[in-house]
Amino acid sequence: MIGDADLQVWLDTTSQSGQLLVIPYVKSVNDMQLGFRMELSQQAQSGTSRISQRGQVAVKAADPTPLAQVTINANTGHCKVELVLQRDGRAADTYQFNCTTPRP
């Protein structure tokens, strides 16, 4: 498990022209290599859609690092993001975010 007090994880959302841009970020006090899996699910009257992205990222100490980027329709239902981080092949930490309401 990562579980480091020196690791910050957050979600940035921006709404523009009916689209919602969703970007998860990570910041650490130390340089590190992280594996990530992001799953965004959006639920509306017409059904549920899911978008998944995964990869590896080199995090530089004290620099906010974007992990992925997804653009979805801003006016459609409830949106949530599940982000799983992994380091050195160890068990992963899971973070969940509501992305329905853009943050200012």
Side-chain angles (χ1 to χ4, degrees):
M1 212 151 121
I2 296 173
D4 291 330
D6 62 352
L7 188 66
Q8 298 175 352
V9 180
W10 70 95
L11 189 69
D12 184 29
T13 57
T14 306
S15 182
Q16 185 177 37
S17 302
Q19 298 294 305
L20 183 67
L21 177 63
V22 179
I23 306 172
Y25 283 87
V26 65
K27 181 176 160 183
S28 177
V29 210
N30 304 307
D31 289 352
M32 66 176 65
Q33 185 78 19
L34 289 176
F36 73 89
R37 180 182 55 80
M38 179 184 93
E39 183 169 309
L40 182 145
S41 61
Q42 191 173 28
Q43 190 170 19
Q45 287 180 334
S46 59
T48 301
S49 63
R50 295 188 198 294
I51 300 169
S52 288
Q53 292 187 7
R54 66 176 54 225
Q56 297 283 322
V57 65
V59 178
K60 297 291 182 191
D63 286 342
T65 304
L67 300 177
Q69 178 174 313
V70 176
T71 303
I72 59 172
N73 185 336
N75 304 317
T76 306
H78 178 74
C79 172
K80 69 179 181 177
V81 169
E82 181 175 274
L83 183 63
V84 178
L85 299 179
Q86 197 170 24
R87 181 172 53 184
D88 301 327
R90 296 188 309 211
D93 279 346
T94 301
Y95 301 86
Q96 296 184 348
F97 302 96
N98 178 349
C99 54
T100 302
T101 306
R103 284 146 183 80

